[in-house]
Amino acid sequence: QMQLAEFGGGLVPPGGSLRLSCQASGNIYRIETMAWFRQAPGKQREVVATITRDGTPIVDDSVKGRFTISRDGALNSVFLQMNRLKPVDTAVYYCYAEVMSLGTDFQPYWGRGTQVTVSS
């Protein structure tokens, strides 16, 4: 069973920080791109940040300078450090990974999502 386990969501006041973690487990040969997406109520799911297998990060302009994506390849994990959070950042955050398993090509996987709420 291939799984993406997400941790770190919660309730924080404006200006606060959270660190999201996502660890892949199961039948994994290698993982290519990993990413974080988010979806607020009534809105489309949008990309927040992506990071390649070799560690090249790209963050969306809406969070640039506040969010940092990083990866621990040995543990098949991706992290999202979120600083100076704003109410507009409130959303369900989803981990994403492109995973190659034994006998398969790369396939997309999604985590269940973790709630981030920025409110006083």
Side-chain angles (χ1 to χ4, degrees):
Q1 293 180 324
M2 172 63 204
Q3 295 183 354
L4 297 176
E6 299 147 321
F7 302 94
L11 174 65
V12 294
S17 297
L18 284 174
R19 184 173 186 263
L20 304 183
S21 301
C22 173
Q23 183 170 354
S25 62
N27 184 13
I28 301 171
Y29 178 74
R30 65 181 287 172
I31 300 177
E32 186 53 62
T33 297
M34 302 187 79
W36 288 97
F37 289 72
R38 68 184 181 186
Q39 186 169 20
K43 297 183 179 180
Q44 298 284 342
R45 185 175 297 187
E46 63 182 8
V47 64
V48 178
T50 66
I51 185 166
T52 67
R53 184 184 68 254
D54 293 331
T56 301
I58 300 175
V59 297
D60 187 77
D61 287 341
S62 65
V63 301
K64 189 173 297 182
R66 299 188 298 119
F67 291 11
T68 302
I69 189 169
S70 60
R71 184 171 177 173
D72 184 339
L75 298 177
N76 298 321
S77 299
V78 64
F79 310 93
L80 187 68
Q81 179 66 46
M82 304 184 294
N83 297 326
R84 301 188 301 280
L85 283 159
K86 305 174 181 178
V88 72
D89 296 318
T90 296
V92 177
Y93 284 70
Y94 296 91
C95 180
Y96 168 88
E98 296 177 348
V99 180
M100 177 183 288
S101 300
L102 182 63
T104 71
D105 207 345
F106 287 104
Q107 299 182 35
Y109 287 89
W110 293 90
R112 291 289 188 180
T114 183
Q115 178 71 48
V116 172
T117 302
V118 185
S119 176
S120 298

